[in-house]
């Protein structure tokens, strides 16, 4: 099964929740990074790491398939 078939196949419920959490993390971190207010460096750095973690979590969760396939 190739990657495109995995991405469009049904995702298990647990991984749907993880995907949504990952997308939320990525969105929140993007808002922090793009904020017009000057924030401490550590906050922007942590937001960058959260963006990467959220993106990876969302991508991996999207390509999981049920075990019976």
């Amino acid at each position: 099964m190739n990657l495109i078939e995995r991405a469009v196949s049904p995702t298990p419920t647990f991984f749907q929740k993880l995907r949504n959490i990952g997308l939320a993390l990525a969105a929140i971190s993007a808002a922090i990074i793009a904020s017009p207010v000057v924030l401490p460096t550590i906050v922007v750095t942590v937001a960058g790491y959260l963006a990467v973690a959220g993106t990876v979590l969302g991508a991996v969760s999207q390509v999981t398939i049920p075990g019976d396939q």
Side-chain angles (χ1 to χ4, degrees):
M1 178 177 279
N2 67 21
L3 189 60
I4 295 172
E5 290 172 350
R6 289 180 71 106
V8 297
S9 67
T11 304
T13 306
F14 174 72
F15 288 102
Q16 288 176 356
K17 292 177 185 175
L18 282 180
R19 181 191 61 209
N20 293 340
I21 291 169
L23 291 173
L25 281 176
I28 291 168
S29 62
I32 291 172
I33 292 171
S35 173
V37 179
V38 177
L39 297 171
T41 307
I42 189 70
V43 173
V44 176
T45 303
V46 170
Y49 289 132
L50 284 177
V52 171
T55 303
V56 169
L57 183 62
V60 170
S61 295
Q62 180 60 43
V63 295
T64 56
I65 56 174
D68 58 353
Q69 289 187 357

